[in-house]
Amino acid sequence: MKTCLFIILCVVASRPLAAELLQNAPNRKQMQLLGQWDAIVDPFDVGDKRKFYTFNGPAGANVLQEFNFNNAMKLHVPGDWNTQDERLFWYEGSVWYHKTFIAAPEPDKQYLLYFDAVNYLATVYVNGEQVGQHEGGFTPFQFNVTEVLTAGSNTVVVKVNNRREPDYIPTMSTDWWNYGGITRPVRLIELNATYIDDYQVYYAGHNSIAVKIGLAGEQTHNQQVTLSVPELGINRVFTTNQEGKIYTTINAEPQLWSPDNPHLYNVELTLATTTLHDNIGFRTIEVRGNDILLNGESVFLRGIAIHEEKPFGDGRAWSKEDARTLLGWAKELGCNYVRFAHYPHNENMLRMADELGLMVWAEIPVYWDIQFDNPAVLSKAKQQFGEMLSRDKNRAAVILWSIANETPNTPVRTAFLSELAETVRETDPTRLVTAAINTQTTTANGRLIDEDFAGVVDVIGINSYCGWYYDSPETCATYRWQSAFDKPTIVSEFGAGARQGWHDTDDTVFSEEYQSRVYKNNLVMLENMPDLRGVSPWLLKDFRAARRPLAGVQDYWNRKGLLSEQGIRKQAWYIMRDWYQQKQQAGQ
Ligand code: GCB
């Protein structure tokens, strides 16, 4: 299966020269291509034919050249284009990015051009040559550019297209902003001729740490790699096998990572004279009956759902400071868990969750009704999951892989998601599979969780908007939920909209009072829910949504945040915070 996933990655994701996705890109030796890039907006896609990627300065006065990067618009990388220039707020289409940089490549080194994410389709050229193309807006990709890099000035051109298409993931309709651009950092990474490409170091239970290491490059077999975890007194040398891999376990008794004790160990991997550092937490996660066990102990997930938007205002979040603010707010709410909706968030979010002690639900954008009958789309889903796993496999915080959100209950959908779940389990048996499900059977006094796909996941996620999209808030309090499965359930979404600062009677929709009323009644409902092992209300803060046009209230914001788009608390924030305090006091 691993080989199969690898083939898919090669075919769909990263074409020539690329090895498997490099583990731990932030801590490699690198130059980041950040700051201002030149940008040409190309709504009619003329750039391919006119060869924008060959740009080598403005043409002479007697030559017709209808483009010039030097005097073009400037866009900051990383960053979405929509919030950088008001002309691009609604834009969906192609933008050509251009940057020159100085390099001093050394003869026996290798160079990867590594993109943390580009939304959605990226075609990359270095010094006029196409080095590869990548599809998918929220996961990293890389191209080996050793052969095309020159000493001195180099040019990189990226054609970015964020037009929505039927066979994309996500597809035509989403309830979030389709931010386009090079939304996360770009890195030129320098590697030795032979280098540590991939690794996973994790707690396998029973006082043992499992270690998997893979080398890439010139000579991968029979190489010595030193693994050291100074705090645990570990300093061991291992030799790679014929395939350039090491698989081993080490006896150790680490302090186990948990929200109460988010301890991370400095782990060092050394090949020849190059040492790679990482901070890794050790923990176990499993399901027993309807319980979730973290390090063998029952845990209740006190959570909040989060979109990857800047803490103050709109635009894609990407920095460490953004992550610290957003997740700091989750901590202030009393959370021990966060749902990163609806796509892989930037790596800073994952590393910050590790550091702050927040368990993570991580998700791919298999959202609503994608082309479940299209095998190419299934390959894309596997590719996006594979890239997310490659990047995040060493993050203790990630306990749940979510493979879908609110998908229609049809046989073709269930077959698609069952195969995807199988791939996820085969490639990462150390975490749990979940999905947000919103189809249940209505009973006389509530709902029955009984759809087939709920039988496939380890943890059932339920999205339920009782009191908002249907029924009065008070009816929700009388709801009785039942489940046909003996499995843990998380209410992965519930909530209501409110424009922060709008105070009125509690039957005025969109007032803070109405939102509070929905919350209060939903909490009564949750107390009666069987198998409930966690909640992540929808959501931390208001976010941009093209589907939310109501003037004066929504203004293209989804107003279901507990915080306004500027981070100001609404009444419902305090209701949720108090509930979490009670849960905590009750030892949950
Ligand atoms: C949902 C979706 C979420 C939407 C939310 C809403 O069920 O999963 O993406 O934003 O409802 O506000 O309607």
Side-chain angles (χ1 to χ4, degrees):
M1 200 61 218
K2 186 123 204 281
T3 338
C4 164
L5 187 71
F6 178 65
I7 290 166
I8 289 161
L9 281 173
C10 287
V11 173
V12 182
S14 39
R15 286 212 293 262
L17 304 170
E20 276 185 82
L21 205 55
L22 192 72
Q23 181 55 216
N24 193 3
N27 289 319
R28 305 283 182 155
K29 185 175 178 199
Q30 62 194 271
M31 171 169 85
Q32 296 196 19
L33 303 179
L34 310 181
Q36 301 294 348
W37 287 49
D38 314 312
I40 298 178
V41 182
D42 184 18
F44 281 42
D45 284 309
V46 298
D48 299 286
K49 205 157 172 226
R50 291 189 194 160
K51 301 199 168 121
F52 284 6
Y53 50 87
T54 59
F55 183 71
N56 201 13
N62 52 351
V63 177
L64 173 66
Q65 188 189 47
E66 293 183 89
F67 65 99
N68 178 0
F69 278 109
N70 290 359
N71 57 12
M73 168 192 283
K74 307 296 168 210
L75 288 173
H76 191 271
V77 171
D80 62 86
W81 62 54
N82 313 71
T83 58
Q84 294 194 48
D85 187 311
E86 62 184 25
R87 289 169 296 176
L88 298 181
F89 184 64
W90 291 101
Y91 184 67
E92 295 183 313
S94 294
V95 173
W96 292 78
Y97 284 74
H98 168 269
K99 188 162 188 78
T100 53
F101 61 95
I102 305 295
E106 290 178 32
D108 48 358
K109 304 279 185 195
Q110 299 209 49
Y111 295 87
L112 294 186
L113 192 56
Y114 182 104
F115 293 81
D116 287 22
V118 174
N119 191 36
Y120 174 88
L121 186 64
T123 314
V124 181
Y125 303 84
V126 174
N127 296 329
E129 262 187 58
Q130 183 176 328
V131 295
Q133 192 174 59
H134 178 265
E135 183 181 331
F138 302 95
T139 45
F141 56 95
Q142 68 193 29
F143 302 112
N144 191 321
V145 296
T146 314
E147 300 297 318
V148 283
L149 209 61
T150 58
S153 179
N154 290 267
T155 308
V156 56
V157 171
V158 186
K159 180 189 180 191
V160 183
N161 186 295
N162 74 333
R163 210 171 284 131
R164 288 165 290 128
E165 299 291 350
D167 63 345
Y168 281 3
I169 302 178
T171 180
M172 306 305 283
S173 189
T174 60
D175 192 25
W176 71 83
W177 208 259
N178 183 21
Y179 290 115
I182 304 179
T183 49
R184 297 181 190 162
V186 182
R187 312 163 191 273
L188 182 66
I189 297 177
E190 182 182 280
L191 299 160
N192 295 331
T194 306
Y195 58 93
I196 296 169
D197 180 33
D198 190 23
Y199 62 88
Q200 187 175 5
V201 182
Y202 63 96
Y203 189 60
H206 311 291
N207 296 337
S208 74
I209 290 175
V211 178
K212 299 178 186 176
I213 300 171
L215 304 192
E218 242 166 38
Q219 203 189 339
T220 59
H221 67 278
N222 204 26
Q223 300 292 310
Q224 296 198 325
V225 178
T226 306
L227 172 86
S228 119
V229 189
E231 208 187 322
L232 289 172
I234 295 172
N235 191 49
R236 300 271 300 271
V237 180
F238 301 104
T239 305
T240 55
N241 65 16
Q242 275 307 107
E243 283 76 48
K245 312 268 187 215
I246 294 163
Y247 299 106
T248 189
T249 53
I250 301 172
N251 290 336
E253 277 184 69
Q255 293 178 49
L256 298 184
W257 182 97
S258 73
D260 294 334
N261 179 30
H263 191 81
L264 301 177
Y265 287 90
N266 173 28
V267 173
E268 296 174 353
L269 295 166
T270 305
L271 174 66
T273 54
T274 303
T275 297
L276 183 59
H277 297 266
D278 209 342
N279 292 318
I280 297 182
F282 298 114
R283 55 106 190 96
T284 60
I285 191 78
E286 62 197 302
V287 155
R288 191 174 304 150
N290 62 8
D291 220 353
I292 300 174
L293 306 182
L294 175 69
N295 303 324
E297 284 179 23
S298 173
V299 65
F300 186 88
L301 308 187
R302 306 185 309 271
I304 189 75
I306 304 184
H307 259 300
E308 191 197 46
E309 269 194 12
K310 293 223 168 97
F312 305 102
D314 52 8
R316 277 265 166 261
W318 63 272
S319 71
K320 199 170 172 181
E321 293 67 43
D322 292 339
R324 196 179 288 285
T325 306
L326 291 168
L327 297 185
W329 286 339
K331 294 285 287 186
E332 284 171 26
L333 188 64
C335 295
N336 61 6
Y337 143 73
V338 278
R339 176 181 178 199
F340 288 164
H342 282 298
Y343 38 76
H345 285 207
N346 68 82
E347 196 167 345
N348 286 314
M349 291 287 274
L350 280 301
R351 288 183 179 267
M352 191 58 73
D354 255 5
E355 199 179 310
L356 297 180
L358 288 161
M359 294 176 279
V360 169
W361 159 314
E363 181 164 331
I364 50 172
V366 173
Y367 184 87
W368 293 349
D369 200 5
I370 65 166
Q371 286 186 350
F372 289 110
D373 57 353
N374 183 344
V377 172
L378 179 56
S379 299
K380 291 178 192 185
K382 289 182 181 177
Q383 174 214 327
Q384 292 192 16
F385 172 73
E387 290 166 350
M388 175 171 74
L389 170 64
S390 293
R391 191 195 63 179
D392 298 335
K393 61 174 95 163
N394 288 302
R395 302 285 74 83
V398 181
I399 58 162
L400 290 162
W401 293 128
S402 169
I403 56 171
N405 180 79
E406 295 189 353
T407 51
N409 182 7
T410 60
V412 69
R413 179 290 315 242
T414 304
F416 179 110
L417 291 181
S418 300
E419 185 172 336
L420 189 55
E422 200 180 311
T423 303
V424 171
R425 288 198 178 101
E426 277 171 11
T427 46
D428 185 14
T430 71
R431 293 180 174 87
L432 307 173
V433 177
T434 192
I437 296 173
N438 68 332
T439 48
Q440 302 93 31
T441 299
T442 303
T443 60
N445 59 352
R447 295 282 161 105
L448 170 66
I449 303 168
D450 59 352
E451 76 140 286
D452 286 351
F453 177 50
V456 173
V457 295
D458 301 313
V459 174
I460 301 172
I462 295 290
N463 287 1
S464 153
Y465 281 90
C466 186
W468 183 253
Y469 289 127
Y470 58 89
D471 286 341
S472 75
E474 285 66 31
T475 316
C476 316
T478 69
Y479 256 65
R480 292 295 172 269
W481 283 75
Q482 294 166 274
S483 177
F485 306 94
D486 181 29
K487 290 185 180 193
T489 301
I490 292 177
V491 171
S492 36
E493 287 181 30
F494 71 94
R499 205 192 65 203
Q500 182 271 322
W502 181 2
H503 293 287
D504 213 316
T505 55
D506 70 1
D507 58 359
T508 306
V509 177
F510 282 115
S511 68
E512 288 199 31
E513 285 71 13
Y514 192 90
Q515 186 188 37
S516 298
R517 184 175 149 214
V518 172
Y519 265 79
K520 279 181 202 148
N521 283 287
N522 269 271
L523 293 180
V524 176
M525 179 186 88
L526 295 178
E527 293 290 4
N528 288 316
M529 205 159 166
D531 309 330
L532 187 74
R533 301 311 305 152
V535 294
S536 39
W538 192 250
L539 79 172
L540 184 68
K541 69 175 283 272
D542 293 355
F543 62 99
R544 278 280 180 210
R547 296 165 49 93
R548 309 289 172 180
L550 182 63
V553 177
Q554 294 176 313
D555 301 313
Y556 299 104
W557 292 94
N558 182 315
R559 295 289 185 198
K560 296 193 188 70
L562 293 177
L563 302 171
S564 74
E565 79 276 10
Q566 293 298 336
I568 302 170
R569 295 175 182 184
K570 305 179 192 174
Q571 277 184 7
W573 163 281
Y574 298 97
I575 294 172
M576 218 44 232
R577 190 200 57 182
D578 292 352
W579 197 68
Y580 284 155
Q581 261 171 16
Q582 287 162 24
K583 287 264 161 219
Q584 226 172 335
Q585 278 156 11
Q588 290 186 316

